[in-house]
Amino acid sequence: MNGITNRMSRVLPALGWAGVLLAAAPAFAADEPKLDSGDTAWMLTSTALVLMMTIPGLALFYGGMVRKKNVLATVMQSLAITALVTLIWTVVGYSLAFTEGGSLLGGMGGFMLAGMTLSTTHSLAPTIPESVFVCFQMTFAIITPALIVGSMAERMKFSALLWFTGLWSILVYSPVAHWVWGGGFLGSAGVLDFAGGTVVHINAGIAGLVAALMLGKRIGYRKENLSPHNVTYTVVGAALLWVGWFGFNAGSAGAANGRAGMAMAVTQIATAAALMGWMFAEWLVNKKPSVLGAASGAVAGLVAITPASGYVGPGGAIIIGIAAGVVCFWAASWLKRAAGYDDSLDAFGVHAVGGIVGALLTGVFAVEAIGGTGGLLEGNAGQVMKQAYGVIVTLLYSGVASWIILFVLKATIGIRVEETQEREGLDISLHGESVV
Amino acid sequence: MNGITNRMSRVLPALGWAGVLLAAAPAFAADEPKLDSGDTAWMLTSTALVLMMTIPGLALFYGGMVRKKNVLATVMQSLAITALVTLIWTVVGYSLAFTEGGSLLGGMGGFMLAGMTLSTTHSLAPTIPESVFVCFQMTFAIITPALIVGSMAERMKFSALLWFTGLWSILVYSPVAHWVWGGGFLGSAGVLDFAGGTVVHINAGIAGLVAALMLGKRIGYRKENLSPHNVTYTVVGAALLWVGWFGFNAGSAGAANGRAGMAMAVTQIATAAALMGWMFAEWLVNKKPSVLGAASGAVAGLVAITPASGYVGPGGAIIIGIAAGVVCFWAASWLKRAAGYDDSLDAFGVHAVGGIVGALLTGVFAVEAIGGTGGLLEGNAGQVMKQAYGVIVTLLYSGVASWIILFVLKATIGIRVEETQEREGLDISLHGESVV
Amino acid sequence: MNGITNRMSRVLPALGWAGVLLAAAPAFAADEPKLDSGDTAWMLTSTALVLMMTIPGLALFYGGMVRKKNVLATVMQSLAITALVTLIWTVVGYSLAFTEGGSLLGGMGGFMLAGMTLSTTHSLAPTIPESVFVCFQMTFAIITPALIVGSMAERMKFSALLWFTGLWSILVYSPVAHWVWGGGFLGSAGVLDFAGGTVVHINAGIAGLVAALMLGKRIGYRKENLSPHNVTYTVVGAALLWVGWFGFNAGSAGAANGRAGMAMAVTQIATAAALMGWMFAEWLVNKKPSVLGAASGAVAGLVAITPASGYVGPGGAIIIGIAAGVVCFWAASWLKRAAGYDDSLDAFGVHAVGGIVGALLTGVFAVEAIGGTGGLLEGNAGQVMKQAYGVIVTLLYSGVASWIILFVLKATIGIRVEETQEREGLDISLHGESVV
Amino acid sequence: MKYVMAVIKPFKLDEVREALIAIGASGLTVSEVRGFGRQKGHTEIYRGAEYEVSFLPKIKVEVAVPDELAERTVEAIQKAAATGQIGDGKIFVYELSEAIRIRTGETGSEAL
Amino acid sequence: MKYVMAVIKPFKLDEVREALIAIGASGLTVSEVRGFGRQKGHTEIYRGAEYEVSFLPKIKVEVAVPDELAERTVEAIQKAAATGQIGDGKIFVYELSEAIRIRTGETGSEAL
Amino acid sequence: MKYVMAVIKPFKLDEVREALIAIGASGLTVSEVRGFGRQKGHTEIYRGAEYEVSFLPKIKVEVAVPDELAERTVEAIQKAAATGQIGDGKIFVYELSEAIRIRTGETGSEAL
Ligand SMILES: Nc1ncnc2c1ncn2[C@@H]1O[C@H](COP(=O)(O)OP(=O)(O)O)[C@@H](O)[C@H]1O
Ligand SMILES: Nc1ncnc2c1ncn2[C@@H]1O[C@H](COP(=O)(O)OP(=O)(O)O)[C@@H](O)[C@H]1O
Ligand SMILES: Nc1ncnc2c1ncn2[C@@H]1O[C@H](COP(=O)(O)OP(=O)(O)O)[C@@H](O)[C@H]1O
């Protein structure tokens, strides 16, 4: 089963009944599903929701976690990445990821969205206008590099960030999206990734780890107080991520149908379970349940359920959630300390680790009646291996490619701000502004 | 007329025309309405909107009203309640409220959402997947206890809050939801409550009053400056509540139809009228129109129109709004001062009082052409009595049950923080964090 | 081609295929399109999105740009305008703009929304309930005067603001909306304005300039530090404007169809291009890319694409975006300084200037295959003249009418606060509150 | 004249202000400071890492008084600000060479 | 050396700074404080309850000067900060025993 | 007793605190201030208009010490706070007439 049929199956429940309606309208060719206003309404909405995840969601989530002198520089990163990736996606990104090509990369037939009209559709979402599919996928292309900056916070040069984002979007995001969803080899190999556990989260998380290592630790790491200046922002950001994630996961059904509904339900359940998992783990270990921990736990759950939504039911969701909450807590506190890297806002600890938990457990808890493929619990032991294959390929490719991009940038324009700029804060030194 | 037929009638306008379409598709059994992608799209969206009301809406609304040292603890309450109630609702809450049972309580047939598949629906919303109905109702179950914390702010123990929320959700919310919407005795008695004036607001408001009395006043009440530390947050929270309330009220139509549209229109109108009512009343009395007052007035209007939306027209909405604005202003300023309880953020003064205003006036202004039942103005004088019956039953049951739960908790784990913790602020003392 | 047919053409793609479906249902009269649940779902959502643009979007966008002592007064303006215009629109505004009347003004047939039932529709959006159309248009009527306050910030009397808003909404907004969309002479003349470049942005922007001139400069202008107190708020506001603008532009299709999708796509693209345009222009000129500049650039792009969305494709969108970003940067920095007016938050520099750029370029880049009318590039040179005609009429009428309203208010109740109030800050002096 | 400066616990401010008014002080100036002393700070938790916040929030109260009022001022503050628990704070007294009221130009005790 | 400390109205800061530079002060340090004095605070309204905010925002300006500049410093501040209305603030002058420039270790007037 | 007050660069606070503890200071009080001096402020940009922010963020450290500790205190601060670059700040030393511990009423050096 390749990526396309895989995804096509998501819209089949919709087609099931829409098809009957259409059957009553002989003017339509039976083999060509037409635009459905309900599906279109939901996908327009989902696009807005996923955009909201990056701005203002992620901007606030990250902005609250840095020190006050870096808050504007941090929200600026989300904002600028949104704009830059929008243009790149329009010009080549969409084409490389989602138009006809090979198993490694799409073609250039969609350069500058050529050929897109009011009535064209994409085969992965045949009941909505292609323009909506392009925009929906664009919001995924935006949030992925925006997640990476969590690892670079408080020390990355803004100009270097723009170069990195542009190159990474073309050289890493589009290919990986093509492999899994666009007809490439991972989808063909049967890797399940409903909404982007691999394409978005593992991809971004490992790039973040590489960036944290290449940039080095912040001045004062483990000595000065680098704690978040405003966890209220972080909670608001996490909440907007949560709400917007309904568009991310339920929107990945490509239609307003039963599978979208189930994806929403398991998203909510896993997120709640992960919040509880992180909170109680932290309460036990540190004696107090931190608010930052609860917010981080929620995001960990959202990450982990991302590949699984659309494949698992409520029971699987609870277990995936708890696992993600506890494991990501461990990664962001114990593992990071032990390994000694400065992943400022835990892009790796939450997104890569949570994404891996989710990707693997998708292989365990997948329910055939929901997503067309059963997992380990339904006797399909091989699925876990397929999932691991997807994880490893992504970790390797994204890790190496991110390293190369950063290496080149470091050798040319430099990637880290001057020491005095870092001390003064990036708000003033890079953008000439400050929060009163 | 019982709760179910009552609610069923909401979807009839949709069925009216959808039914005709379906008639052209003989493959469908006429008596079994099928999933509608447009209705599903709107209910997926509504679910996201209502979740947004609690996080970040209510979190910010309340978070801005406390002192700076308690802001994180306050937003944490909304966040943790969201997670906890999600799990409870999944396991037993939905089943107790909305599956077949007696007139006092639903059954356990939906334990752990058993039986929910991609294609099941609930009789109250037969054109959308059951998973979406479960999630939509879940967001109501979440916000109700989250509203209560307004009365407990700045002094409630976090562990006690979690216990309270869990018990209250099962012992109070699910039963009352069942009585009114799930086929229970209040719905059967003809009590009208479109979107939860009784189930959500009166229920939460009276529980809040009981909690405020059981907890006692905050240290410094009436002596120190306990005024809001950041009304900007409160305005943002009120605004998100307002926007999200479109999902709450128009979503309660269960479909994207004319009744949903009318519910949205009257929601907007009543809210505006209530904001104006509170603002001008305060301007008159206190010489200045406070921003907190305007935000509170908006919420009062949203509360009051909640039971009435789906039953009244624009004219009724204006009067309900003005009444709610003025009466809630009086309750939050004069009544609270006179009675001497410390309802920190006026959960009682706004939600119970506003909810009562709305519930009773629904009985006055209901229009048969809109919701199928006329009110006093259309000659159905008995409706006001029915509404009063619903109000009284809810006040009594929720008041007593909340008292018992809190009494038990007080006697066992304690419900109030230590004096030094309260002085130091709950952010640091309970969660080990603070806002710079 | 008049405004109505103009707009009707937007729903035609939807009707194209919906019509076929309906054709299969002989129970329907072919000439009377019926409610479509998908279109209704999208328009309910769009209404929520556009409301979110004003509160909390614009409230935060503007609130972050003022000094800390004026933040509450600034968010209060958005809040109070939302309420006031809701009531005015309900009572007379909708009727004057959108019900049958002359070419200068609508009639009074819709006074108090008379005649609106669950099943009525408006000819501009025949597949959704009239109540939804009323609410959707209401959100446009709300945001327009709310934009104006950017020019009045930090010195306008609150009571005068309410009077101004009320009068302006009736005397300026409703007429101009009627001229362009409601069947009036600008629409008949072939002026293209998909979502309100003329009606909303130029209209508000020129009124803002007049207000800035009538009010005079703030104390300390060009001497004291009047810089924004919290650009984080401004970024969050800009982000919510951006997300909500999908409802604004794609919602202006009146349906969930291919034209809505295309409108969303070009909105996203132009906004990104404008952000980049402003950012790089500023980087070049001032050596640093400010965060405020990026946020302002995004809004400039949103403004400029507003009239064009629904008429242009991705290529046109990129050029419109870049032009808007660069020209508005120039207007907000060089032009304002040169002309010497104190347009506090650049309502004129962004909304009028950006609106004019967009209106004129719509005449250049309009694509017949998208919106039914081609522009200069497709050989229809006259369209640019028509666009200029719309711009000039709006500038003149709104400028003069705003001047008269403000002149009368100045002569009677006064429009500017006392000097001591301005120094102390409007939060305390007007509303008796302050942010800690 | 003497300049009395006290570092106190934040929630004691209102009581201290009232005590000062009671003994006839005509004005005072306060600011938010952070103090380090015998009273230990708390531990904040950040992503699993504990961080010792060594400084505690305190309020600094400054009041200029004529010499004859100095002793009573110190007493008044001490009584109002004491809780008996560690971290109650300190009072420091300096010589004040001159005081001027900006509005009128008055100097010395009259300016206070 | 003298240490001159002034409590002024916030919006007068820029004028005071310019006046001090004009007479040759080489530096100054300012902080945000809240003042209580003859000038009455305002009333804030909170959910219908009035609350008296007794403290008003003020700016504290501190400048160390050689003895010979002390008088002119006081005059300069007084002139620049005065509006003639209540609440204009105070100027306090102390003896300064020693001043050290951290960067160089210079002491006395040279350090200022 | 002496009252030592230093204006330093914010990121030097931890080092100064450690240096003071090392020489036996029992407590200190810090606050956020803004400084104007030889070190030039930066330019902020606001809608195309440049705005000179003349004041830079600094930390004020205050520590009361017995006379015999004064010199070492000054030295400790100077060493810990110096970067050798302009803007490192100043140390000012005053006479302290009296010190009182609020909790116990102790006075003089014992109160520190
Ligand atoms: N030597 C000192 N110089 C300046 N401030 C001090 C000094 N010692 C203590 N303080 C201030 O007094 C506060 C209370 O001191 P602490 O030693 O905690 O308690 P106590 O005074 O009750 O013994 C400290 O937080 C600090 O602000
Ligand atoms: N005795 C005092 N000690 C310290 N600060 C004082 C004293 N008296 C007044 N102040 C400060 O000076 C400010 C202005 O004093 P106020 O009495 O209001 O006006 P005026 O100085 O014009 O009579 C006060 O807000 C307070 O900050
Ligand atoms: N005469 C003064 N009185 C009070 N504070 C001063 C004085 N001169 C300098 N300062 C403070 O010291 C800080 C550093 O001074 P500056 O002249 O910039 O550097 P440096 O001390 O290295 O020459 C200033 O920002 C200001 O806060």
Side-chain angles (χ1 to χ4, degrees), chain A residues 23-407:
Chain A
F28 281 91
D31 50 25
E32 195 193 316
K34 282 290 157 194
L35 294 184
D36 177 282
S37 67
D39 292 346
T40 303
W42 173 235
M43 294 309 294
L44 286 163
T45 305
S46 292
T47 305
L49 285 171
V50 185
L51 178 62
M52 186 180 79
M53 289 172 65
T54 306
I55 52 166
L58 196 64
L60 281 169
F61 185 68
Y62 281 167
M65 270 193 254
V66 298
R67 284 164 291 172
K68 198 176 181 182
K69 62 183 176 183
N70 295 323
V71 58
L72 295 178
T74 303
V75 301
M76 179 67 160
Q77 294 177 329
S78 295
L79 198 58
I81 287 172
T82 300
L84 181 59
V85 175
T86 295
L87 297 182
I88 287 173
W89 190 252
T90 302
V91 177
V92 297
Y94 171 71
S95 191
L96 292 176
F98 285 107
T99 61
E100 207 118 325
S103 77
L104 285 175
L105 205 56
M108 285 299 283
F111 178 76
M112 270 298 297
L113 307 182
M116 183 178 91
T117 73
L118 291 198
S119 52
T120 50
T121 59
H122 190 280
S123 59
L124 293 181
T127 60
I128 64 170
E130 187 182 9
S131 54
V132 178
F133 180 74
V134 168
C135 288
F136 181 67
Q137 289 298 340
M138 182 191 285
T139 57
F140 283 61
I142 288 168
I143 201 169
T144 309
L147 290 170
I148 303 174
V149 303
S151 301
M152 306 165 160
E154 309 202 292
R155 59 201 188 287
M156 182 80 176
K157 247 168 110 158
F158 183 61
S159 56
L161 179 81
L162 294 181
W163 278 107
F164 173 77
T165 300
L167 294 170
W168 195 89
S169 186
I170 297 171
L171 301 177
V172 184
Y173 184 80
S174 281
V176 175
H178 183 76
W179 299 348
V180 179
W181 294 328
F185 71 99
L186 288 179
S188 311
V191 173
L192 302 182
D193 183 7
F194 193 68
T198 311
V199 179
V200 174
H201 297 288
I202 299 178
N203 202 357
I206 184 67
L209 179 61
V210 170
L213 292 170
M214 301 278 288
L215 279 165
K217 295 170 195 171
R218 285 167 292 173
I219 297 171
Y221 185 60
R222 284 283 141 92
K223 280 175 18 211
E224 290 170 30
N225 181 355
L226 307 181
S227 67
H229 89 288
N230 193 340
V231 175
T232 308
Y233 285 1
T234 300
V235 169
V236 173
L240 292 176
L241 284 167
W242 189 334
V243 171
W245 224 293
F246 285 171
F248 203 88
N249 286 0
S252 285
N257 56 22
R259 199 166 178 200
M262 190 62 87
M264 173 179 265
V266 297
T267 299
Q268 177 71 13
I269 293 168
T271 307
L275 188 158
M276 288 286 165
W278 186 309
M279 186 176 88
F280 283 112
E282 194 182 26
W283 207 334
L284 224 81
V285 174
N286 294 333
K287 306 291 170 291
K288 286 181 182 178
S290 77
V291 182
L292 179 67
S296 307
V299 174
L302 289 161
V303 167
I305 197 65
T306 293
S309 66
Y311 291 111
V312 304
I318 288 187
I319 299 174
I320 290 174
I322 294 175
V326 174
V327 174
C328 290
F329 166 64
W330 166 83
S333 49
W334 189 88
L335 176 64
K336 183 169 65 169
R337 178 190 294 240
Y341 53 86
D342 180 14
D343 178 7
S344 331
L345 315 179
D346 291 306
F348 176 76
V350 172
H351 294 277
V353 174
I356 293 170
V357 168
L360 298 179
L361 293 184
T362 300
V364 175
F365 294 109
V367 174
E368 196 175 343
I370 292 174
T373 310
L376 179 64
L377 291 193
E378 292 190 347
N380 177 10
Q383 193 58 45
V384 180
M385 287 301 109
K386 289 182 189 166
Q387 298 300 101
Y389 172 57
V391 168
I392 290 167
V393 167
T394 308
L395 286 175
L396 283 179
Y397 179 72
S398 178
V400 171
S402 303
W403 186 86
I404 295 174
I405 297 173
L406 286 165
F407 183 85

Side-chain angles (χ1 to χ4, degrees), chain E residues 27-29 63-64 101 103, chain F residues 35-39 58 87-90:
Chain E
L28 57 141
T29 300
V63 51
R101 186 192 308 280
R103 173 164 49 101
Chain F
F36 174 85
R38 281 185 183 74
Q39 187 190 7
K58 301 277 173 190
D88 274 355
K90 316 276 179 190

Side-chain angles (χ1 to χ4, degrees), chain B residues 106-131:
Chain B
M108 285 298 284
F111 178 77
M112 271 296 298
L113 307 183
M116 182 178 91
T117 72
L118 291 198
S119 52
T120 51
T121 60
H122 190 282
S123 60
L124 292 182
T127 60
I128 65 169
E130 188 182 9
S131 55

